[in-house]
Amino acid sequence: MEKIKKALKARELSSLLCLVVMFLLVGVVNPSFLKPQNILLCFNGSIVYVLIAIGMAFVILTGEIDCSIGAQLGLSAAVCATYLREGASWGMAIALCVLVGLVCGTINGIGVTVLKIPSIIMTLGTNGIYRGLIYLYTGGKWVENLPSGFKQLAQKNVAGNLSWFFVMDLVIMVLIFLFLVKTKRGKRFAAVGDNEAGANLIGIPVLATKMKAFMICGLFAAFGAILYVSRVGFVTAISGNGYEMKAIAACVIGGISLTGGVGTVIGASIGGIIMASISRLLVFLKISSDYDNTITGILLIVIVVVDALVQRRSVEKARRERLSARVTAAEGGAFNE
């Protein structure tokens, strides 16, 4: 019974219910949406968002934020696509793509942990730098005419119309979840975000943990870039633009607190599916997809405000319980006298 109550209070369940309710409401307005192929298209369209949400989760869990993940994805994708177009082996193109993401994440980590620059300022700055590098690298031109075999990877399905990339995302999500909740090294990320001073006192390397979080975020931006290149089939100078807000919103909607220390990658992944589904849902509602970013922004603000209110209420409740316990103890002591 206790486990059931705990499950019902889980933030991931709230995000899952949000996803189900969204689908059902759209289905009421337009019943054709509830066809299995349309639901699967929403899942298949989320493969990039799920990966960047997982990467962003590491950073937010430590109490920091990365506003450059979209530019990291775009730069990594540009490098990957360019080498593929020039006839390089897939292995080399993917390795260079991953290297670019790792370097970008490392630079962000150094700025935050070594130079002590607030993460929002550091990553806003590097966002502009990485975005500018994409223009310089591509000359502002599209990178297209990629090998058909690489583009066809995203078209391969398992279990009917479900993309094998989505299945791969699920496997990665489960492995990362187990790492974060079952291993000592994994638990450090949430511990740092929950109480940085306390984590430092018990011997957790706070700065090293934050550094790793940014590096992992860069890696997942690169992984997302690989899937992006395969799925879209070309890269432009604005590829990945706006993905940072999608990734942050996915984490927040998925139950990860912006103050750090609370939430899981399962919730972030569900949030990624929600973010990817919005534009498709708008189509079935016969609403212009131009409202996509507006709705994302509104959702982000609403969830942040609700999260802040819930946390404040939790703190006040705990404070009242401590005060009540002290009063009871004091009255008991006076009675004994």
Side-chain angles (χ1 to χ4, degrees):
M1 191 66 182
E2 191 66 29
K3 290 184 178 180
I4 296 176
K5 290 182 179 180
K6 187 176 181 181
L8 291 174
K9 292 181 180 180
R11 292 183 169 216
E12 297 84 353
L13 183 60
S14 298
S15 57
L16 180 59
L17 288 175
C18 178
L19 177 63
V20 172
V21 169
M22 282 175 57
F23 283 179
L24 291 177
L25 288 177
V26 175
V28 170
V29 177
N30 190 341
S32 63
F33 169 73
L34 294 178
K35 293 180 180 179
Q37 59 265 34
N38 291 324
I39 303 296
L40 290 177
L41 283 173
C42 289
F43 292 156
N44 293 341
S46 69
I47 56 176
V48 176
Y49 292 104
V50 169
L51 284 180
I52 62 174
I54 292 174
M56 182 67 75
F58 277 90
V59 174
I60 297 181
L61 279 174
T62 63
E64 305 293 346
I65 199 163
D66 190 341
C67 300
S68 68
I69 193 169
Q72 293 179 59
L73 184 148
L75 182 58
S76 300
V79 171
C80 181
T82 301
Y83 275 85
L84 287 172
R85 183 188 62 185
E86 298 303 320
S89 67
W90 292 9
M92 177 180 289
I94 291 173
L96 289 172
C97 177
V98 172
L99 179 62
V100 170
L102 180 60
V103 170
C104 290
T106 301
I107 292 172
N108 287 340
I110 291 173
V112 174
T113 62
V114 179
L115 302 180
K116 305 298 182 182
I117 302 173
S119 59
I120 189 169
I121 302 300
M122 179 65 192
T123 56
L124 279 174
T126 55
N127 179 68
I129 294 172
Y130 301 152
R131 185 62 59 188
L133 288 175
I134 299 173
Y135 278 92
L136 291 174
Y137 184 76
T138 63
K141 300 177 182 178
W142 288 29
V143 183
E144 47 189 348
N145 299 322
L146 306 183
S148 59
F150 193 82
K151 291 188 289 186
Q152 289 173 0
L153 289 176
Q155 308 303 321
K156 295 183 178 181
N157 299 323
V158 295
N161 293 321
L162 187 64
S163 169
W164 76 277
F165 274 163
F166 182 75
V167 175
M168 181 184 70
D169 280 2
L170 293 181
V171 172
I172 292 173
M173 176 196 73
V174 171
L175 292 176
I176 295 297
F177 172 77
L178 293 175
F179 167 72
L180 289 174
V181 302
K182 297 295 185 180
T183 67
K184 290 183 179 180
R185 290 183 180 275
K187 292 178 181 179
R188 289 177 179 178
F189 294 95
V192 168
D194 183 51
N195 189 336
E196 185 174 321
N200 193 46
L201 286 174
I202 62 175
I204 295 177
V206 172
L207 296 182
T209 301
K210 289 188 175 185
M211 183 71 182
K212 291 175 183 176
F214 280 102
M215 293 172 69
I216 292 171
C217 187
L219 284 175
F220 273 88
F223 297 154
I226 296 168
L227 270 59
Y228 179 93
V229 172
S230 178
R231 179 176 172 80
V232 178
F234 61 87
V235 176
T236 70
I238 61 172
S239 291
N241 192 29
Y243 277 46
E244 53 281 340
M245 186 170 75
K246 296 280 189 181
I248 295 170
C251 289
V252 174
I253 291 173
I256 297 180
S257 174
L258 283 176
T259 57
V262 177
T264 68
V265 293
I266 293 179
S269 300
I270 296 173
I273 297 173
I274 293 174
M275 288 296 99
S277 301
I278 290 176
S279 58
R280 188 169 297 277
L281 297 181
L282 291 177
V283 172
F284 282 91
L285 292 174
K286 297 181 180 179
I287 300 175
S288 173
S289 59
D290 294 338
Y291 290 96
D292 189 344
N293 286 333
T294 302
I295 293 173
T296 300
I298 292 172
L299 283 174
L300 180 58
I301 292 172
V302 170
I303 297 298
V304 168
V305 170
V306 171
D307 182 63
L309 292 175
V310 170
Q311 286 198 31
R312 186 182 304 170
R313 182 180 177 184
S314 177
V315 170
E316 290 177 353
K317 182 180 178 181
R319 189 175 297 164
R320 286 196 299 269
E321 289 176 350
R322 289 197 299 269
L323 179 60
S324 177
R326 289 171 182 169
V327 170
T328 302
E331 290 176 347
F335 180 78
N336 290 332
E337 291 178 1

